[in-house]
Amino acid sequence: MLILHTMTENNFIEYDDALRKYSIGINTYVTGNTYLQNHSMIDIIQNEMYNIVKQCNEICQLGILEGKEVLYIAKVDSPNPIRLMSSIGSRLPAYTTSLGKSLLSLCTLDELKRLYPDGLKPLTNDTIISIDKLYDQLQIVKKTSIAIERSEIHPDISCISTPLIKGNKVIAAVSVSIPNFRYNDEKRQQISNILLESKTFRKIA
């Protein structure tokens, strides 16, 4: 009864005294509609991710920021036999990943210090461990809409990403990960161009 009372108070359900029946309240409708809109947006983004993989033959991933971590919510695998293996639902410290740097790209230096009060701990020898250097990298991401991570999560993997910005907020980020033996300047430029030229991503903003 307490749960029903709370849901009624918050307009998730309504109670008709005459009929002694509950019905759906306005906030349930609003919440459901928001979910459907967000779900549709993910479907649209994932369709574009398939196009990206077709062009570059590398794995493409979608992530959001949860606290100070990247949460991976969608992926499209590469057809290459040698490729990064990842799982939807996995999490990594945002500062160690290209996706995370895109997601953090609008943060101020003070916000970063509050987010990581204990500093940055390395996952590899190349992981950035200075908040000031991280902030400098984020300024480049803000200007170019491209974040690059080289061997910061795994010594054999590099990653390129772009933030998806709606209004003044980063709502998600899309990345392409590449084994280092296939990574070079030409590959980096190709993937950066593919991400930047996506009409789907530009329509989200």
Side-chain angles (χ1 to χ4, degrees):
M1 291 300 294
L2 179 60
I3 293 174
L4 291 176
H5 179 70
T6 302
M7 292 181 71
T8 303
E9 277 192 337
N10 289 285
N11 296 318
F12 284 100
I13 58 175
E14 295 176 356
Y15 183 70
D16 189 314
D17 286 319
L19 298 175
R20 300 180 68 181
K21 288 184 177 181
Y22 287 98
S23 59
I24 292 174
I26 185 65
N27 278 343
T28 298
Y29 170 78
V30 170
T31 302
N33 194 47
T34 301
Y35 170 79
L36 288 174
Q37 289 177 353
N38 289 340
H39 188 71
S40 296
M41 183 179 292
I42 291 174
D43 287 343
I44 292 168
I45 293 171
Q46 194 156 24
N47 284 337
E48 185 64 14
M49 290 165 66
Y50 278 102
N51 290 332
I52 290 169
V53 172
K54 284 181 182 178
Q55 293 179 73
C56 67
N57 292 319
E58 304 292 352
I59 186 173
C60 187
Q61 300 175 101
L62 175 68
I64 59 173
L65 189 66
E66 282 218 337
K68 54 189 178 181
E69 295 180 317
V70 175
L71 171 63
Y72 292 82
I73 62 173
K75 70 168 184 172
V76 177
D77 276 322
S78 162
N80 272 308
I82 301 176
R83 62 186 186 273
L84 170 71
M85 300 301 293
S86 66
S87 301
I88 295 171
S90 61
R91 300 168 186 264
L92 285 168
Y95 64 89
T96 65
T97 72
S98 171
L99 271 177
K101 291 174 185 180
S102 283
L103 293 166
L104 295 171
S105 59
L106 298 185
C107 286
T108 66
L109 182 57
D110 286 341
E111 286 172 336
L112 290 175
K113 289 178 178 178
R114 287 196 297 271
L115 198 58
Y116 300 105
D118 299 323
L120 310 180
K121 298 176 182 179
L123 296 185
T124 72
N125 290 335
D126 294 301
T127 305
I128 193 166
I129 56 174
S130 164
I131 288 183
D132 288 329
K133 287 183 179 179
L134 174 62
Y135 179 71
D136 289 342
Q137 287 187 3
L138 300 186
Q139 299 315 294
I140 296 172
V141 179
K142 191 186 296 185
K143 291 177 182 177
T144 64
S145 296
I146 289 292
I148 297 174
E149 169 260 310
R150 297 294 316 274
S151 305
E152 293 188 53
I153 305 169
H154 189 283
D156 298 323
I157 299 292
S158 293
C159 192
I160 301 167
S161 70
T162 191
L164 307 185
I165 299 174
K166 190 170 183 65
N168 295 316
K169 184 179 180 181
V170 180
I171 60 170
V174 173
S175 72
V176 174
S177 296
I178 313 116
N180 281 343
F181 73 87
R182 284 202 295 265
Y183 185 97
N184 53 39
D185 288 343
E186 183 179 354
K187 189 80 168 180
R188 173 187 56 76
Q189 192 61 56
Q190 178 205 20
I191 293 170
S192 297
N193 289 342
I194 290 169
L195 292 172
L196 291 174
E197 291 170 2
S198 166
K199 293 180 181 179
T200 298
F201 298 158
R202 287 204 298 270
K203 286 178 182 177
I204 292 170

